[in-house]
Amino acid sequence: MKPSVLFVLSWTCLCALLPLTNCEEKRIPEEKLLVVTVATKETDGFRRFLRSAKRFNYSVKVLGRGEKWSGGDYMSAPGGGQKIRLLKAALQEMTSEDRIILFIDSYDVVFASGPKELLRKFQQAQHRVVFSSESLIWPDRHLEDKYPHVREGNRFLGSGGFMGFLPNVKQMVSNWTGGDGDSDQLFFTKIYIDPAQRKSINITLDSKCRLFQNLHGALDEVVLKFEDGRVRARNVQYDTLPVVVHGNGPTKLQINYLGNYIPNAWTFETGCTVCQENLRPLSALKETEYPLVMIGVFIQQPTPFVSVFFERLLKLQYPKNRLRLFIYNQEPHHEQQVSSFLQEHGGLYQDVKTISPEEETDSTASRDLAFHLCREDKDCDYFFNLDVEVVLKNEDTLKILIKQNLPVVAPMLTRPGRLWSNFWGALSADGYYARSEDYVDIVQGRRVGVWNVPYVSGVYLVKADLLRSELKDYDLFTSQTTDPDMAFCHNVRTKGIFMYVTNVHTFGRILSTENYQTKHLHNDLWQIFENPTDWEERYIHMNYSRIMKDKLIENPCPDVYWFPVFTDVACKHLIEEMEHFGQWSGGGNKDTRIQGGYENVPTIDIHMNQVNFEKEWRKFLVEYVAPITEKMFPGYHTQAHFDLAFVVRYKPDEQPALRPHHDASTFTINIALNQVGIDYQGGGCRFLRYDCSIQAPRRGWALMHPGRLTHYHEGLPTTDGVRYIAVSFVDP
Ligand SMILES: *[C@@H]1O[C@H](CO)[C@@H](O)[C@H](O)[C@H]1NC(C)=O
Ligand SMILES: *[C@@H]1O[C@H](CO)[C@@H](O)[C@H](O)[C@H]1NC(C)=O
Ligand SMILES: *[C@@H]1O[C@H](CO)[C@@H](O)[C@H](O)[C@H]1NC(C)=O
Ligand SMILES: *[C@@H]1O[C@H](CO)[C@@H](O)[C@H](O)[C@H]1NC(C)=O
C-alpha cells in the first residue's frame, strides 16, 4: 500500500507517526475558513466578538448589517429564521468547494483560540458538518426520543454555532422556506434527527465541547484556567478547551464575565485589550474642544465632609467652561454648603442647575430629569454621575474615564479596609448582589483592568449618544420594585449595553453615611469612627506622619515634647464648635485636680463631654497621641484615659493667664488652636523648675509633658486678642 492511500484513510492516526510536513499538507489551510455571522446592530457584544476575532486573525463576514432585525428579540430565543435566510443568500454567491464556513452568533460569543486549533479539532471530528451541542433540549422537548444517543457528552443540537464545508452547509440550508421569526434551531434539529439527512449531509455534534461551548445549562462545567500568563475557559466535565464560547439563553452575564478574561483580555503586564483599544485621549485637544460634560451631583442624605466634596469638585481637572453642573440636594442640612460653593465658584462653570430641598423633588425623579437635560441638549457629550458620598481623590478621573471611550464606565471605589465597593461582580438570580469569583482580587487590586460588570453606582460616566438612542426612555431610574441605581443598571443591561468598572488607576473611596449626626455645628469632627480616613485627611496635620519618620519632634524644655498634630481646619472647627456651644465656665466653677487633691486653678473652658465629644477625643488620643507618648517615654504604656479634657479660652479682660500649678495627670497634652501674632498676643507656657518657656506656640502643635511632680508650670498672660488651647490630662 502506498503511504498516501493509507494517509487518506486514517490521517489523524498517522499524523503522530509521520514527519510534521506530511501532516501539514493535509491540514486545512487557515485561509479556507470564513466566519459568517448575522448582526443587524453593532451592539457592545458584537464589538467584543469582532475584537476577539481580530485578535486571532479570523476572517469575518457580517450579514444583515443595517437590516431591521425580525428574527425575534436578539436577547432571547427562539427565532432566528432571519439568520438562515441571510446565510442561504450569502452562500449562493460562494463557490469554492473546499471553503469551510463557521456560522455563529456574535452578540454573545467570544473566541478563545485561533483558526488553526479550530480547524484541527474540526478535522478530528471527521464529519463534513459539526454542530455545537447542548445538554438541554430546545425548542421542542418532544423530539428527545428521535435524537441519536451519544456515548459521552451532550445529546442535543445548538444552532448558535456550527461549521462545515461550503457544499454541505449549502445543502443543509437549501430547503429553508421559513419565516424570519421561525426557529433556526428547530429547522436544523429536524435535519439532524433525520438519519438519512444526517448521513447525507454528514453531520455530527461536538458533544464534548471541543470546538463550541454553549454556556446555558453548563455553567458548572466551565471554569477559567490561568496558566503561563494565558487564560482559557475549560470544560472540566469533558476536560476540553473550547474554541468558541457562547453565552446563549440566560447566560449573557456569564459571557460578559468570561469576556473579561478570554481571549486573554487581562494581564498585569500589558493591561487588558479593553483598556488599550479605541482610546479617546484628550491631550491632543484644545481646552475649548473638550467634550461637554454634565456633572450630576446628588445629595440624598445627610453626609459627612460635604464641604470637602465641593473642594474636590473644584479641583477636578477639566476645563470648567466645558462642564455643566446639575446639583440635586434633598437635605436642608447641606443647603448652606451648596450655596456657598455656588456663590464662590458657580460662575466658573458653563451652566448650573440646582434642585433644592424646598422643591420636594424625589431623588429618582431628579436623576431621570438630570439625564433628560443632557439627552435633550445635543451639545451634551457625557453625563458624569457623582453622588455626594463619593470621595474622588484622583483629580484626573474624568479625563481618564473619557479616554476609555466606553458606553458606561465607573472608576472603582472602595471603603477603606472593607470589601465594599461601587460595583458588583455578579448578580443573584433575583437581580441583587452576588460575589463573583474575582471580586475580592479586583477590589484588592490583585487583578487590574477594565471590567465588564452588571452593576455600578455612585460615580460613572455615560455617553450621551446612548441617552439619545438605546437609553432614550425617560424613566431609566424609576421602578416599582427596586432602587433607582438598580433600575438604571437593569435597563442598561437589558439594552445589551456594557457597563465597566476600571481599577487601572486609584480613584478614591466611598464614605459611610451611617451614624452621621447633624446636631453639631461641625459634625465632621464626630466622624473619627465612621470615616477614619477622611477624618484624618481633614483634621490631622500633614506633617504628623513625619514625627517618627523624620524625627519631626522638638524638645524645647526638659521632657517637654512639641509636635504637629492638627490641621488649621481642625483648630478652627474645634474653636467654632466650642463658641457655638457657648457655655464657658466662669472663673471658680472648675477645680483643677493636682496630685491626688484638688486645687482651685480655675480656667474659662468647655469640656469635651459638654459637647458629647469625649469618645471621639479619646479615640484621637489613642490613635494619634499615645504612640508618640510611648515612643518618647519608653516603657510607659497608656490607654489614653482621661477625665479632664477641655478647651481653654484666654482673654486679657476675662482670664489672661494661669498661675503656677501641677496637673493631675501622668502626662498632659496642650494643643494650640490659634496663632500667636495673628489671633492674639502673648501667651505660652513656662515650666518653673527648669525656668524654660515656650513663648510662640504654633497652631495645631501639641505640647506633651509629665503632669505631676516635675513639670510645675504656668500659663503666660495673653495680652491681646483671644487665645484657645485644647488640654487633656491623660491617665489621671
Ligand atoms: C495575525 O496576523 C498578523 C499579521 O498578518 C500577524 O502579525 C499575527 O501574528 C497574527 N496573529 C495570530 C494570532 O496569528
Ligand atoms: C463524513 O465525512 C468524513 C470526513 O470528510 C468522511 O471521512 C466520512 O466518510 C463521511 N461519512 C459519511 C457517512 O459520508
Ligand atoms: C430538500 O427537499 C427535498 C424535496 O422535498 C428533499 O428531497 C431533500 O431531502 C431536502 N433536503 C434537505 C437538506 O432538507
Ligand atoms: C510640613 O513640612 C514642610 C517641610 O518642612 C513644610 O514646608 C510645610 O509647610 C509643613 N506643613 C505645614 C502645614 O506646616
Side-chain angles (χ1 to χ4, degrees):
M1 211 186 272
K2 279 194 275 179
S4 59
V5 177
L6 217 170
F7 216 92
V8 172
L9 288 178
S10 152
W11 67 271
T12 37
C13 314
L14 270 174
C15 246
L17 305 170
L18 291 170
L20 212 63
T21 44
N22 285 345
C23 289
E24 276 174 353
E25 277 167 29
K26 277 296 161 189
R27 247 178 215 155
I28 303 172
E30 290 169 36
E31 313 84 77
K32 297 289 178 202
L33 178 67
L34 179 66
V35 180
V36 181
T37 189
V38 172
T40 50
K41 276 179 68 181
E42 283 220 1
T43 62
D44 290 332
F46 176 71
R47 282 187 279 266
R48 170 182 61 197
F49 168 80
L50 283 192
R51 229 173 17 239
S52 79
K54 192 169 148 209
R55 159 82 172 73
F56 294 111
N57 289 348
Y58 284 96
S59 316
V60 180
K61 187 173 175 61
V62 181
L63 308 178
R65 260 190 171 141
E67 190 171 304
K68 187 175 172 338
W69 178 247
S70 44
D73 179 356
Y74 72 87
M75 297 297 288
S76 64
Q82 187 177 8
K83 290 193 290 188
I84 312 186
R85 170 168 66 75
L86 293 167
L87 175 64
K88 185 176 166 181
L91 295 181
Q92 265 157 15
E93 289 159 22
M94 300 181 199
T95 49
S96 171
E97 295 273 306
D98 57 353
R99 172 138 347 263
I100 311 271
I101 301 294
L102 169 65
F103 190 61
I104 39 175
D105 288 355
S106 46
Y107 297 143
D108 44 16
V109 166
V110 289
F111 286 107
S113 181
K116 200 168 180 175
E117 180 178 338
L118 182 69
L119 287 167
R120 175 167 52 79
K121 290 178 168 174
F122 173 69
Q123 283 183 292
Q124 285 166 355
Q126 298 190 44
H127 282 74
R128 302 282 293 178
V129 175
V130 180
F131 264 91
S132 73
S133 66
E134 297 197 18
S135 60
L136 308 167
I137 186 165
W138 176 261
D140 186 352
R141 278 177 38 232
H142 301 103
L143 299 176
E144 178 164 354
D145 292 345
K146 302 228 167 76
Y147 263 97
H149 278 274
V150 294
R151 232 181 313 145
E152 195 190 352
N154 300 325
R155 246 182 96 193
F156 306 113
L157 172 146
S159 65
F162 61 83
M163 71 190 288
F165 286 94
L166 177 65
N168 305 63
V169 177
K170 266 188 180 172
Q171 185 189 349
M172 197 166 66
V173 297
S174 59
N175 281 9
W176 170 258
T177 52
D180 279 0
D182 290 351
S183 167
D184 56 336
Q185 179 133 322
L186 187 60
F187 173 74
F188 291 124
T189 299
K190 282 179 174 164
I191 295 176
Y192 175 70
I193 61 177
D194 175 341
Q197 294 210 50
R198 183 164 70 235
K199 193 165 169 222
S200 132
I201 304 174
N202 196 346
I203 308 178
T204 190
L205 292 193
D206 175 36
S207 294
K208 294 201 271 181
C209 307
R210 303 182 69 240
L211 293 79
F212 303 102
Q213 177 68 60
N214 289 314
L215 290 177
H216 186 31
L219 288 174
D220 296 343
E221 294 168 16
V222 181
V223 298
L224 285 170
K225 178 181 156 240
F226 295 84
E227 222 174 74
D228 307 327
R230 276 179 50 88
V231 193
R232 268 307 276 270
R234 175 196 219 119
N235 184 309
V236 287
Q237 175 122 358
Y238 307 121
D239 196 21
T240 50
L241 299 171
V243 177
V244 175
V245 186
H246 182 196
N248 57 328
T251 62
K252 307 285 178 233
L253 292 183
Q254 281 80 13
I255 193 68
N256 288 355
Y257 177 79
L258 295 177
N260 284 326
Y261 293 97
I262 49 176
N264 284 321
W266 164 81
T267 70
F268 278 115
E269 294 77 23
T270 62
C272 52
T273 39
V274 183
C275 321
Q276 307 296 339
E277 278 180 22
N278 301 317
L279 296 180
R280 179 179 187 179
L282 297 168
S283 44
L285 298 180
K286 287 198 221 100
E287 292 215 331
T288 48
E289 299 165 344
Y290 272 46
L292 185 66
V293 182
M294 179 180 282
I295 302 183
V297 173
F298 295 90
I299 307 173
Q300 278 180 243
Q301 68 281 307
T303 305
F305 303 108
V306 167
S307 46
V308 190
F309 172 90
F310 282 114
E311 286 168 21
R312 275 190 309 264
L313 180 61
L314 191 66
K315 283 198 237 150
L316 191 68
Q317 291 300 307
Y318 207 83
K320 299 225 172 3
N321 58 5
R322 301 302 292 158
L323 293 176
R324 293 183 182 173
L325 296 181
F326 175 97
I327 302 176
Y328 167 76
N329 176 23
Q330 186 174 300
E331 288 302 322
H333 176 69
H334 291 307
E335 271 190 295
Q336 199 274 326
Q337 284 147 325
V338 174
S339 62
S340 76
F341 168 75
L342 290 178
Q343 245 160 36
E344 285 170 48
H345 310 291
L348 298 171
Y349 295 87
Q350 198 193 77
D351 186 41
V352 177
K353 165 144 186 65
T354 55
I355 296 187
S356 63
E358 299 78 54
E359 294 177 50
E360 294 185 353
T361 309
D362 80 43
S363 65
T364 307
S366 78
R367 288 178 190 272
D368 283 334
L369 173 64
F371 267 46
H372 183 68
L373 292 174
C374 174
R375 180 187 290 121
E376 289 294 288
D377 179 349
K378 64 174 178 13
D379 293 334
C380 185
D381 296 308
Y382 289 95
F383 189 89
F384 186 49
N385 186 93
L386 194 54
D387 292 356
V388 76
E389 62 270 26
V390 165
V391 179
L392 212 49
K393 296 288 294 173
N394 188 330
E395 294 174 6
D396 291 318
T397 300
L398 184 53
K399 290 182 178 180
I400 292 169
L401 297 183
I402 289 176
K403 183 174 171 191
Q404 288 302 328
N405 198 15
L406 293 167
V408 179
V409 58
M412 184 182 81
L413 305 177
T414 57
R415 206 166 270 176
R418 306 241 220 126
L419 289 174
W420 260 79
S421 75
N422 64 328
F423 78 98
W424 296 353
L427 281 189
S428 65
D430 50 1
Y432 285 86
Y433 173 84
R435 184 176 286 186
S436 59
E437 255 175 78
D438 57 3
Y439 179 78
V440 175
D441 284 337
I442 294 175
V443 168
Q444 298 183 341
R446 281 189 297 275
R447 287 185 192 169
V448 175
V450 182
W451 309 91
N452 186 334
V453 293
Y455 170 93
V456 297
S457 68
V459 51
Y460 48 84
L461 184 73
V462 182
K463 278 190 180 175
D465 295 353
L466 284 175
L467 301 179
R468 295 186 271 267
S469 54
E470 277 93 338
L471 298 178
K472 63 173 176 288
D473 295 343
Y474 182 88
D475 47 3
L476 292 172
F477 290 91
T478 307
S479 162
Q480 299 301 322
T481 48
T482 61
D483 290 348
D485 51 346
M486 286 177 62
F488 170 67
C489 292
H490 172 82
N491 283 320
V492 172
R493 290 194 306 269
T494 10
K495 300 290 181 189
I497 296 166
F498 288 170
M499 275 174 281
Y500 294 88
V501 69
T502 166
N503 66 342
V504 174
H505 301 82
T506 313
F507 293 102
R509 53 184 180 262
I510 316 168
L511 290 171
S512 165
T513 55
E514 279 159 46
N515 305 316
Y516 183 62
Q517 309 175 5
T518 54
K519 54 178 190 272
H520 311 285
L521 177 67
H522 292 296
N523 297 285
D524 296 346
L525 281 170
W526 275 259
Q527 286 293 301
I528 189 168
F529 291 102
E530 201 62 36
N531 290 293
T533 313
D534 295 86
W535 193 92
E536 178 173 310
E537 277 186 6
R538 186 72 165 154
Y539 293 131
I540 293 299
H541 196 282
M542 67 181 285
N543 289 334
Y544 173 81
S545 61
R546 295 175 47 209
I547 294 174
M548 308 281 206
K549 207 171 53 188
D550 301 338
K551 304 204 167 38
L552 185 72
I553 184 161
E554 296 182 22
N555 189 198
C557 303
D559 281 330
V560 177
Y561 293 97
W562 200 16
F563 55 89
V565 66
F566 273 153
T567 59
D568 290 354
V569 173
C571 296
K572 179 168 180 284
H573 282 191
L574 212 47
I575 293 171
E576 287 177 359
E577 195 65 45
M578 293 311 189
E579 287 294 353
H580 177 71
F581 179 73
Q583 296 174 31
W584 296 94
S585 63
N589 284 352
K590 191 193 117 277
D591 289 339
T592 299
R593 258 201 292 164
I594 57 146
Q595 300 212 33
Y598 280 91
E599 185 191 17
N600 196 295
V601 188
T603 49
I604 301 290
D605 58 37
I606 294 172
H607 284 237
M608 297 302 175
N609 61 12
Q610 288 178 275
V611 292
N612 287 319
F613 196 55
E614 69 273 30
K615 272 205 332 278
E616 290 76 10
W617 189 255
R618 169 141 192 257
K619 176 80 173 161
F620 158 70
L621 294 176
V622 167
E623 292 292 321
Y624 297 99
V625 174
I628 294 171
T629 317
E630 293 181 2
K631 176 82 178 171
M632 293 303 136
F633 299 101
Y636 170 67
H637 297 289
T638 177
Q639 304 282 315
H641 285 295
F642 63 88
D643 60 10
L644 290 176
F646 45 91
V647 171
V648 182
R649 183 168 79 183
Y650 290 113
K651 265 186 189 181
D653 58 352
E654 195 177 63
Q655 179 187 27
L658 197 59
R659 66 179 167 82
H661 62 284
H662 279 288
D663 287 341
S665 63
T666 302
F667 71 94
T668 294
I669 296 294
N670 172 339
I671 305 171
L673 296 180
N674 55 356
Q675 192 57 53
V676 66
I678 297 173
D679 302 309
Y680 65 92
Q681 305 292 332
C685 186
R686 187 167 90 92
F687 296 92
L688 282 70
R689 181 181 162 89
Y690 307 101
D691 191 19
C692 178
S693 305
I694 291 103
Q695 275 176 327
R698 300 171 191 159
R699 174 165 47 188
W701 283 56
L703 279 177
M704 174 173 74
H705 60 80
R708 308 156 194 261
L709 194 60
T710 48
H711 284 66
Y712 191 61
H713 60 286
E714 65 180 331
L716 299 173
T718 297
T719 54
D720 192 19
V722 189
R723 176 184 180 220
Y724 297 92
I725 57 174
V727 178
S728 311
F729 294 170
V730 188
D731 290 348

